[in-house]
Amino acid sequence: MPQKAQLLRKRPRRATRDDVARLAEVSTAVVSYVLNNGPKNVAPATAQRVWDAARQLNYKPNAIARALSSGMSKTLGAVINDLSNPFTAGVYEELERLASARGYSMLFVMSHGDPQLEIASVNQLINRDAEAIFISPCGDIQDLPLSNEQSRFVIFDKDSPVHGAVCIATDFERSMEMGINHLIEHGHRNIALIIGLTSQNQSDGRIRGWYSAHQKAGIPAGKIIYASSFTREMGYQAVMKLLEIPEAERPTAIFAGSDMLAVGALSALNQRGISVPSQMAVLSFDGTIASRYTCPSLTAIHQDQQQLASLALQTALETPHTDEAKLIKPELIIRESCGCHVTR
């Protein structure tokens, strides 16, 4: 038994299937059948010897080899523009948690809002055999290799179908209608929208919802200010631009397209000595934890991060993969910035 004793000694290298086979005195094929539960049956006594040998050697199957044999990498990828946004960070944190619970690993790649880097990042994940890729594109969706045979695509924040992918989003049109109707209930008839340039396309549900909600309410659509990104700085700059309008013509309420834009807006209004909500109401879209701790606390249309992540993962792993948009319901969270008198 000298060979077995030698195998059981502490070794710096990782145990292999060959090691398990030698210790159990079987072929490597039998080891594979036992550890993979098939495709061929193995006598119980022989199978027990294999399991005992694997346990003694602390054998862990090679994930790459297992992926090659099964045709599944058990790896998912995500291309992210900006992790400083608490909404984005929350969705991807929940996605990673759910994926891990199902035995999948997540690869995260940053595009930093650069469309060319975004395409390179997607190709990198495809080459790493990611079974599915999650993305909220900063560039043109048509530039992405959606028709590749390796990876499925799940696109966040797109509420209409895209060929070659499944889109996951909150119901943007309904969200805009809920927010505008709430501000109208407070007596506002001149409402401004601050939103990122990525939403400038008229096919975006937020823009469609903006116009249709005003039309249904029978009031003119308010001014839209397009910021270059959904950040605090852009929200601040957008409000400073808005305040250049003469006071008699100035909007009396602001609908911010993200919590970060709303935080910047509150800062600008405070700096200019404009009271919220008595002089300017503010309503936000996202409803992350950040919206609860502003002063005043932000009334918001809430996007459920956990539900978005769960639906996205379920979609990525199911078959067949169809070209469709799956929408979740928004929720109005009433706090103080709209003019409602509530207790935090």
Side-chain angles (χ1 to χ4, degrees):
M1 305 286 285
Q3 187 181 29
K4 286 189 177 184
Q6 186 178 6
L7 285 169
L8 287 171
R9 285 182 199 159
K10 259 190 165 179
R11 301 180 327 281
R13 68 178 180 85
R14 177 175 177 168
T16 67
R17 188 175 57 173
D18 289 340
D19 294 334
V20 176
R22 284 195 293 272
L23 183 58
E25 298 180 337
V26 297
S27 69
T28 54
V30 169
V31 173
S32 179
Y33 299 152
V34 172
L35 299 183
N36 294 314
N37 196 29
K40 293 185 178 180
N41 293 324
V42 177
T46 303
Q48 188 60 53
R49 289 210 316 274
V50 171
W51 284 116
D52 289 344
R55 191 176 301 108
Q56 291 178 67
L57 293 170
N58 194 28
Y59 172 70
K60 295 180 176 60
N62 185 290
I64 296 175
R66 188 166 50 193
L68 289 172
S69 64
S70 68
M72 298 176 64
S73 68
K74 302 291 283 187
T75 299
L76 306 172
V79 181
I80 306 173
N81 294 325
D82 178 16
L83 270 178
S84 66
N85 187 316
F87 172 73
T88 302
V91 170
Y92 283 112
E93 181 178 4
E94 179 67 11
L95 184 62
E96 191 280 332
R97 187 186 69 80
L98 294 172
S100 178
R102 296 185 63 165
Y104 283 80
S105 298
M106 290 286 307
L107 295 175
F108 294 98
V109 185
M110 296 294 297
S111 70
H112 304 287
D114 181 338
Q116 293 305 311
L117 183 56
E118 180 173 81
I119 295 171
S121 298
V122 167
N123 285 319
Q124 177 185 347
L125 291 173
I126 292 173
N127 292 333
R128 294 287 296 272
D129 294 329
E131 293 181 35
I133 296 173
F134 303 88
I135 186 171
S136 178
C138 63
D140 192 333
I141 290 177
Q142 304 308 317
D143 291 336
L144 299 176
L146 302 180
S147 300
N148 79 91
E149 297 180 357
Q150 176 62 42
S151 305
R152 294 178 171 184
F153 276 83
V154 178
I155 298 177
F156 283 118
D157 298 328
K158 177 70 176 171
D159 64 341
S160 56
V162 171
H163 180 64
V166 173
C167 298
I168 305 292
T170 300
D171 188 334
F172 291 148
E173 289 194 54
R174 176 62 183 144
S175 299
M176 301 306 288
E177 186 172 337
M178 288 175 67
I180 291 167
N181 286 346
H182 187 69
L183 291 171
I184 288 174
E185 289 173 2
H186 281 284
H188 299 285
R189 298 296 182 270
N190 186 355
I191 305 166
L193 173 66
I194 302 173
I195 198 162
L197 273 173
T198 53
S199 303
Q200 194 165 7
N201 192 312
Q202 295 295 313
S203 66
D204 188 287
R206 286 163 286 206
I207 303 303
R208 293 196 310 269
W210 176 256
Y211 287 110
S212 66
H214 281 84
Q215 185 177 22
K216 290 177 182 178
I219 61 175
K223 182 177 179 61
I224 300 179
I225 299 179
Y226 290 102
S228 61
S229 61
F230 288 87
T231 62
R232 302 172 186 87
E233 176 62 25
M234 291 301 103
Y236 176 89
Q237 291 184 15
V239 169
M240 286 302 190
K241 181 178 179 180
L242 184 71
L243 295 179
E244 294 174 2
I245 300 173
E247 188 172 352
E249 304 168 20
R250 187 181 297 165
T252 60
I254 295 171
F255 194 156
S258 75
D259 286 348
M260 294 298 92
L261 287 172
V263 168
L266 289 177
S267 178
L269 292 168
N270 179 65
Q271 184 174 320
R272 292 289 296 271
I274 297 174
S275 176
V276 178
S278 60
Q279 293 176 284
M280 181 76 73
V282 177
L283 187 144
S284 180
F285 183 68
D286 277 348
T288 64
I289 192 67
S291 64
R292 183 184 300 174
Y293 296 105
T294 56
C295 187
S297 57
L298 281 164
T299 293
I301 303 298
H302 176 59
Q303 300 194 79
D304 191 320
Q305 295 159 296
Q306 293 182 341
Q307 192 176 352
L308 286 166
S310 178
L311 182 58
L313 183 64
Q314 177 187 341
T315 298
L317 301 182
E318 72 183 14
T319 54
H321 199 56
T322 56
D323 303 340
E324 62 178 320
K326 298 183 178 183
L327 307 182
I328 69 168
K329 294 180 179 180
E331 177 189 3
L332 174 63
I333 298 179
I334 295 176
R335 296 196 181 101
E336 301 166 325
S337 64
C338 61
C340 289
H341 299 288
V342 295
T343 303
R344 287 186 184 230

